Amino acid sequence: MNEASLPGELGCQFTTDDGEVLLIAMGNVGSSDAAQGVVKVAGYVERVSAPGGFNGITESPTFSGKGKTVHIEVTGEPTEGGESPPRPATLTYDRADGAQRDWQGEWRCGP
């Protein structure tokens, strides 16, 4: 997934509690262009996007793509200090056919 060439100056990623990266997204600060990302579920990597550039993805964003919606819900305060501290979060993956799956992990945004 790290090979995905995503446009943008800053990004966010969701990492599960067992260390698997499920979502990476990039966007430009202060931009109205959608942030672009990739989500990896069941071995497939698929494109998603969210409105509002980088600023639109830092706090509990919702991404959409072909046949899917991915929502990040930040569930607590940062677990570390620094410029880009991770925050506990839940990733919810909704398919168009009604299937849904949740993962617990952390949401980290920054350079």
Side-chain angles (χ1 to χ4, degrees):
M1 245 181 50
N2 292 336
E3 298 81 37
S5 68
L6 298 170
E9 55 196 7
L10 293 174
C12 298
Q13 78 175 33
F14 181 86
T15 307
T16 65
D17 287 339
D18 60 3
E20 184 179 5
V21 176
L22 295 185
L23 175 71
I24 297 173
M26 299 288 292
N28 291 316
V29 174
S31 174
S32 60
D33 292 338
Q36 301 297 311
V38 289
V39 61
K40 181 179 180 182
V41 175
Y44 295 98
V45 176
E46 302 170 314
R47 293 269 181 178
V48 291
S49 64
F54 176 74
N55 302 76
I57 63 173
T58 59
E59 298 291 332
S60 299
T62 298
F63 295 87
S64 57
K66 186 177 179 183
K68 76 192 86 33
T69 302
V70 179
H71 181 69
I72 304 292
E73 182 67 37
V74 174
T75 58
E77 295 300 313
T79 56
E80 300 172 9
E83 184 180 2
S84 307
R87 293 173 291 166
T90 301
L91 182 149
T92 302
Y93 182 94
D94 289 301
R95 286 192 335 212
D97 65 5
Q100 182 181 74
R101 184 153 178 213
D102 295 324
W103 288 267
Q104 301 302 311
E106 65 181 25
W107 187 237
R108 181 186 296 254
C109 295

